[in-house]
């Protein structure tokens, strides 16, 4: 039987193939290339490649192969559009008609979004991580679910704030995907009121928590407060799990807004919010035991790989959906960080931001460079480095307040009167100031970019040294005493 099949397959392969549906013209002639391909296959050894002069390996690897799951971003998608996914029940509202299940599923969505956000910060695209959530893509859908709606609003507002910081700092050259929004709804009407909505939800859940913890003698007074879910024994646990997640989101958004205030004016307040965020992250981690013991869905295998505290897969997500509807989105295979790894990432991020906020904004260039070197030893990620760069250089000034020429004269040990000297208008002095700014920006990039850019800027420093030497010689030719020469040399040694 096997022989017959093999012979039939061989006959079919060598049988005349139907001609192409594209008709031949006076400029095209169709020919059977099978003998040529068979001859090439016999001659080629492992690792060899045959190609035309105008088609190389890079072009072959960059080509789109239709119906190939690795190269065709649309083939692996379950749906053709967000609306089709919603019609198929992928993002139900209400999530469940059982109140307990609804609360549990909402917490799973919150946890999964935390893992998505941390994965995005690590360099993956926003479209395939955070905005794989259908509830974020259709803001009007969550209007009737106050808790989920307020949470989605603060997520979108947070993503917008992070994209703005990284884009303004121009540190995204190491990960071009980071700031690409692909037309995703980052600017939804009403998201600017996310904090007021979140505060109202927090207050409501806090009242519910106080009601379930109140002694039996006082519960009658609080009977008008509707519980989160039907089981009184689980009410306190669910209230605490929701509150720590909501509070973390609220204070993390405060951190981002405070750190963007000009001249470092929001640093002290940002540190207070950072401390609260770290405390809430600890509460989120502790809530895992309660949520895991009361999980009602199918749990993921492996404690270390789960993407939610309960271990259940959340509803309302499709990682391949945006690959189909957003043309520029690259068809990358993404493995989300686990829920535990996401918590660890945000703890590290908050510690790095706290370190930035603790810096006293010293105008001394030597002190600043020492701080940058020490800060980079902690291997900060992109978001923290972007915030640091925006703090250091604002409107062409250090911290947005100290002119770069003043920083240079202070580092060179020149007298205070030199700050107002006309020499600062010299073309080469202006170039020197720009070099100092570029150096500060380079020291805020990752280690790989630092090595490449510092190697290039060394040549720029050498050129400006020679130019400044000639400029000072011409400017102070009549003043040739030793003291002034020493000052000049000191200045050139910056």
């Amino acid at each position: 039987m096997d022989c017959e099949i093999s012979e039939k397959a061989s006959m079919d392969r060598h049988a005349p193939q139907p001609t192409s549906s594209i008709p031949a013209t006076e400029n095209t002639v169709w020919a059977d290339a099978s003998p040529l391909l068979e001859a090439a296959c016999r001659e080629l050894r492992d690792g060899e490649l045959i190609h035309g002069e105008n088609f190389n390996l890079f072009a072959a690897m960059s080509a789109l192969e239709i119906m190939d799951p690795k190269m065709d971003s649309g083939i692996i998608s379950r749906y053709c559009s967000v609306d089709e996914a919603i019609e198929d029940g992928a993002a139900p509202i209400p999530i469940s008609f059982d109140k307990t299940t609804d609360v549990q599923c909402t917490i799973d969505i919150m946890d999964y979004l935390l893992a998505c956000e941390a994965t995005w910060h690590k360099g993956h695209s926003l479209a395939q991580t955070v905005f794989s959530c259908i509830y974020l893509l259709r803001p009007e859908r969550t209007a009737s679910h106050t808790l989920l709606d307020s949470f989605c609003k603060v997520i979108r507002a947070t993503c917008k704030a992070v994209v703005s910081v990284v884009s303004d700092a121009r540190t995204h050259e190491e990960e071009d995907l980071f700031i690409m929004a692909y037309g995703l709804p980052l600017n939804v009407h009403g998201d600017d009121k996310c904090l007021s909505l979140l505060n109202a939800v927090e207050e409501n859940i806090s009242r519910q928590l106080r009601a379930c913890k109140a002694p039996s003698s006082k519960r009658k007074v609080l009977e008008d407060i509707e519980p989160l879910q039907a089981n009184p024994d689980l009410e306190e646990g669910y209230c605490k799990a929701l509150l720590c997640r909501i509070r973390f989101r609220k204070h993390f958004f405060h951190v981002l807004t405070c750190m963007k205030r000009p001249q470092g004016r929001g640093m002290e307040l940002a540190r207070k919010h950072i401390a609260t965020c770290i405390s809430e992250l600890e509460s989120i981690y502790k809530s895992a035991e309660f949520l895991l013991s009361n999980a009602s869905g199918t749990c993921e295998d492996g404690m270390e790989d789960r993407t939610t505290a309960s271990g259940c897969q959340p509803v309302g997500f499709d990682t391949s959906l945006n690959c189909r509807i957003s043309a520029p989105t690259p068809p990358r295979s993404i493995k989300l960080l686990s829920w535990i790894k996401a918590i660890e990432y945000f703890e590290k991020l908050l510690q790095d931001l706290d370190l930035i906020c603790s810096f006293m904004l010293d105008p001394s260039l030597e002190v600043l460079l020492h701080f940058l070197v020490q800060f980079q030893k902690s291997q900060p990620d992109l978001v923290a480095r972007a915030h640091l760069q925006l703090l250091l250089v604002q409107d062409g000034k250090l911290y947005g307040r100290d002119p770069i020429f003043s920083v240079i004269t202070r580092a060179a040990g020149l007298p205070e009167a030199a700050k107002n000297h006309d020499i600062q208008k010299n073309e080469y002095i202006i170039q020197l100031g720009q070099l100092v700014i570029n150096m500060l920006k380079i020291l805020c990039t990752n280690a790989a970019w630092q090595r490449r850019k510092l190697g290039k800027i060394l040549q720029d420093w050498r050129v400006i040294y020679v130019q400044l030497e000639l400029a000072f010689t011409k400017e102070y030719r009549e003043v040739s005493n030793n003291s002034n020469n020493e000052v000049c040399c000191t200045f050139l040694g910056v």
Side-chain angles (χ1 to χ4, degrees), residues 378-393:
S378 66
Q379 297 181 341
D381 283 301
L382 176 60
V383 177
R385 288 185 278 106
H387 276 285
L388 176 59
Q389 182 177 314
L390 284 186
L391 171 66
L392 297 182
V393 182

Side-chain angles (χ1 to χ4, degrees), residues 64 79 147 159 206 273 341 382 394 441 443 451 465:
L64 175 66
Y79 311 105
L147 175 57
C159 291
S206 298
H273 289 295
K341 291 292 184 183
L382 176 60
Q394 299 173 19
K441 291 182 177 181
L443 292 176
R451 285 192 293 269
Y465 179 91

Side-chain angles (χ1 to χ4, degrees), residues 260-276:
K260 283 203 71 174
R261 293 181 183 177
Q263 300 181 11
R265 293 171 183 164
M267 295 301 165
E268 184 177 351
L269 182 57
R271 293 197 73 185
K272 296 178 181 178
H273 289 295
I274 288 171
T276 305

Side-chain angles (χ1 to χ4, degrees), residues 352-368:
D352 290 337
L353 294 178
D354 185 64
L355 192 59
I356 294 172
C357 294
S358 64
F359 185 55
M360 299 304 294
L361 307 187
D362 197 304
S364 169
L365 189 59
E366 182 179 0
V367 173
L368 176 57

Side-chain angles (χ1 to χ4, degrees), residues 164-183:
S164 174
V165 167
V166 177
S167 178
D168 291 345
R170 298 184 181 275
T171 52
H172 61 279
E173 56 190 357
E174 60 199 63
E175 280 295 351
D176 292 331
L177 286 176
F178 194 94
I179 63 169
M180 296 293 290
Y182 306 105

Side-chain angles (χ1 to χ4, degrees), residues 1-13:
M1 184 67 178
D2 292 339
C3 293
E4 292 177 3
I5 295 174
S6 177
E7 290 176 3
K8 185 177 186 302
S10 178
M11 292 175 63
D12 291 342
R13 186 171 64 251

